[in-house]
């Protein structure tokens, strides 16, 4: 008889504390990444830097397509005691083996047919990030956000150490950038496995053909979200390497603005999944709403501080990035509203609504980038991102309002 991911450890923290722990760890981690990106950017020209960060963006986007919502679904099903350790182990092993095969194939193909391009580095980035994210599934299902925070720190500290070590050894910063990111992800996965209670670890017992079973709408939404990472690749193709360098030098800077809401969204899933309906889950949600509110204030602060930050960190060569950074900071505000709303809907079984809103919104965003970037450059691209983020936020808010009024959590499957 297979064991289930059993009772939550008594050491589990409250939603607010877990969210703060996740946000703090991610915040420190993003500072590390921002510094590393700045060092790499200053070591070369915007066009060369744009090519490397575009490859990293492609690798990050590929993670969502291969994962196809499995991690998020498994967290929910584990929280509901509907998935056991043996089946979880089979699905994890199958997914990682599949991803590794795709990664090796991609590297060989690009080295053969595009040897002068750095796009091949997207493959190891994608595989390593997928390994790291998958290893966190049991901890997230156990509502141990504070432990997840520790693995995030282990990941990014490793990135800093490896990047610094490679630079000291004479490796070019652009080459050391993707290698350090891969090393960090592997360290994060290792830390997650070690810190997961033995009773909650997946039992690795072969493969399965049920890898994407019931992922349906979860997968569509996850793939669409990952497709948003293609914005830099589209800007590169539509606006050229210089536009990509201006955009890529600062697009990571907006990530810290979403730290609190990311922590909130990650921590809230098991709490909602274990609730009977929306009204039962609302007290937990309400106590932590100050986190997204604080994130919105951070966005407004960045709008005013952008000119000074660009000058201090990147120098006058990247002055064109100032207005882009301000617009992207404004675009994060509706995204801050959207993320927890979509997670709440998914955690209560309303996968279809999230999939429809997300797919339409992201498709509109990417199409807008293709159309406006050649004519209006990176400023037009940033304005397009603001518009589509507003549309998605309105869609999610409308769906959550309907669920709250009905106050019933569907008992069916993920689809």
């Amino acid at each position: 008889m297979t064991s289930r991911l059993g009772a939550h450890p008594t050491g589990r923290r409250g939603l607010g504390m877990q969210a703060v722990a996740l946000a703090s760890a991610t915040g420190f981690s993003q500072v590390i990444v921002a510094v590393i990106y700045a060092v790499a950017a200053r070591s070369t020209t915007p066009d060369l830097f744009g090519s490397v960060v575009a490859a990293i963006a492609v690798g990050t986007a590929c993670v969502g397509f291969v994962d196809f919502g499995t991690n998020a679904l498994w967290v929910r099903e584990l929280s509901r005691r509907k998935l056991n350790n043996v089946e979880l182990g089979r699905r994890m092993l199958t997914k990682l083996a599949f991803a590794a095969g795709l990664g090796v194939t991609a590297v060989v193909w690009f080295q053969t047919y595009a040897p002068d391009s750095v796009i091949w580095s997207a493959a190891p980035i994608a595989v390593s990030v997928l390994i790291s994210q998958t290893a966190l599934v049991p901890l997230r299902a156990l509502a141990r956000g504070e432990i997840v925070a520790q693995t995030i720190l282990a990941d990014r500290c490793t990135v800093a150490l490896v990047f610094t070590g490679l630079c000291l050894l004479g490796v070019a910063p652009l080459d050391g950038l993707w290698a350090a990111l891969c090393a960090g992800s592997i360290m994060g996965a290792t830390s997650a496995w070690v810190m997961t209670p033995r009773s909650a670890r997946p039992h690795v017992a072969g493969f399965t053909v049920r890898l994407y079973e019931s992922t349906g709408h979860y997968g569509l939404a996850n793939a669409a979200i990952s497709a948003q990472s293609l914005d830099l690749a589209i800007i590169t193709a539509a606006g050229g390497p210089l536009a990509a360098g201006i955009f890529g030098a600062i697009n990571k800077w907006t990530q810290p603005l979403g730290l609190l809401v990311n922590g909130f969204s990650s921590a809230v899933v098991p709490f909602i999944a274990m609730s009977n309906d929306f009204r039962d889950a609302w007290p937990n949600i309400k106590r932590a709403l100050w986190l997204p509110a604080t994130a919105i204030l951070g966005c407004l602060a960045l709008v005013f501080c952008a000119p000074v930050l660009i000058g201090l960190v990147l120098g006058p060569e990247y002055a064109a990035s100032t207005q882009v950074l301000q617009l992207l900071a404004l675009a994060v505000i509706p995204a801050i509203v959207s993320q927890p709303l979509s997670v709440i809907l998914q955690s209560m079984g309303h996968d279809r609504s999230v999939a429809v809103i997300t797919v339409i919104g992201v498709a509109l965003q990417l199409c807008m980038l293709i159309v406006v970037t050649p004519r209006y450059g990176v400023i037009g691209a940033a304005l397009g991102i603001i518009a589509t983020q507003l549309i998605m936020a309105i869609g999610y808010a409308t769906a959550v309002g309907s669920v709250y009024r009905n106050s019933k959590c569907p008992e069916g499957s993920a689809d």
Side-chain angles (χ1 to χ4, degrees):
M1 184 174 180
T2 57
S3 63
R4 295 184 183 276
L5 285 177
H8 298 300
T10 56
R12 188 183 70 189
R13 307 297 181 184
L15 172 58
M17 184 173 293
Q18 289 191 41
V20 170
L22 286 167
S24 300
T26 309
F28 182 74
S29 301
Q30 290 297 341
V31 170
I32 293 175
V33 172
V35 170
I36 291 174
Y37 268 64
V39 171
R42 294 191 72 126
S43 71
T44 185
T45 58
D47 54 341
L48 292 177
F49 179 70
S51 299
V52 173
V53 294
I56 294 173
V58 170
T60 303
C62 288
V63 173
F65 291 108
V66 177
D67 177 74
F68 203 66
T70 54
N71 286 344
L73 176 66
W74 295 345
V75 169
R76 190 185 75 180
E77 297 304 281
L78 288 169
S79 298
R80 292 181 172 184
R81 311 293 193 271
K82 292 184 177 180
L83 182 64
N84 61 60
N85 296 25
V86 172
E87 182 60 25
L88 175 65
R90 289 186 180 130
R91 294 186 187 188
M92 282 186 169
L93 183 61
T94 301
K95 180 173 69 174
L96 297 182
F98 176 55
L102 289 178
V104 171
T105 301
V107 170
V108 172
W109 193 92
F110 283 116
Q111 288 289 349
T112 303
Y113 297 102
D116 297 328
S117 173
V118 297
I119 191 65
W120 67 270
S121 61
I125 288 285
V127 174
S128 60
V129 171
L130 184 66
I131 292 172
S132 178
Q133 292 181 355
T134 303
L136 290 173
V137 166
L139 287 172
R140 293 190 184 279
L142 289 170
R144 297 308 303 266
E146 72 282 4
I147 300 180
V148 173
Q150 295 176 42
T151 69
I152 293 172
L153 289 174
D155 178 333
R156 293 315 182 187
C157 287
T158 300
V159 172
L161 290 174
V162 172
F163 181 78
T164 303
L166 290 175
C167 290
L168 291 175
L169 291 173
V171 176
L174 287 183
D175 294 329
L177 180 59
W178 71 265
L181 291 172
C182 290
S185 294
I186 298 303
M187 176 56 72
T190 303
S191 300
W193 179 269
V194 171
M195 289 190 283
T196 299
R198 289 186 178 274
S199 61
R201 290 177 185 172
H203 298 171
V204 182
F207 299 92
T208 180
V209 296
R210 303 170 62 189
L211 172 58
Y212 294 114
E213 182 178 72
S214 299
T215 56
H217 298 107
Y218 253 108
L220 288 174
N222 200 59
I225 291 171
S226 296
Q228 285 184 299
S229 300
L230 295 174
D231 56 358
L232 187 57
I234 291 175
I235 290 172
T236 303
L242 179 59
I246 293 172
F247 188 88
I250 49 83
N251 71 325
K252 294 291 183 182
W253 291 22
T254 60
Q255 288 186 354
L257 298 174
L259 296 182
L260 291 173
V261 74
N262 287 340
F264 173 83
S265 300
S266 298
V268 79
V269 172
F271 287 89
I272 297 177
M274 292 183 287
S275 301
N276 295 321
D277 57 35
F278 192 95
R279 294 185 186 273
D280 185 36
W282 177 244
N284 277 322
I285 298 172
K286 183 171 63 175
R287 283 194 294 269
L289 285 179
W290 64 270
L291 294 163
T294 303
I296 291 174
L297 292 177
C299 294
L300 298 176
L302 182 58
V303 172
F304 292 101
C305 297
V308 176
L309 290 174
I310 293 293
L312 288 176
V313 178
L314 296 179
E317 189 174 10
Y318 286 86
S321 296
T322 300
Q323 191 174 357
V324 179
L325 178 58
Q326 292 173 319
L327 292 174
L328 291 180
L330 292 175
V332 173
I333 294 177
I336 287 172
V337 175
S338 295
Q339 185 174 345
L341 294 181
S342 64
V343 168
I344 289 170
L345 288 168
Q346 286 182 324
S347 299
M348 303 198 75
H350 296 272
D351 309 347
R352 183 173 305 184
S353 298
V354 175
V356 170
I357 295 168
T358 306
V359 170
I360 292 175
V362 172
L364 180 61
Q365 177 175 315
L366 297 182
C367 289
M368 191 174 293
L369 290 178
I370 294 173
V371 173
V372 303
T373 303
R375 184 170 182 178
Y376 301 105
V378 287
I379 299 298
L383 288 171
I385 292 173
I386 291 177
T388 50
Q389 288 298 325
L390 281 171
I391 292 172
M392 285 193 285
I394 293 170
Y396 292 131
T398 302
V400 169
S402 176
V403 172
Y404 185 79
R405 287 191 298 272
N406 294 331
S407 190
K408 293 293 182 181
C409 178
E411 297 295 334
S413 66
D415 292 336

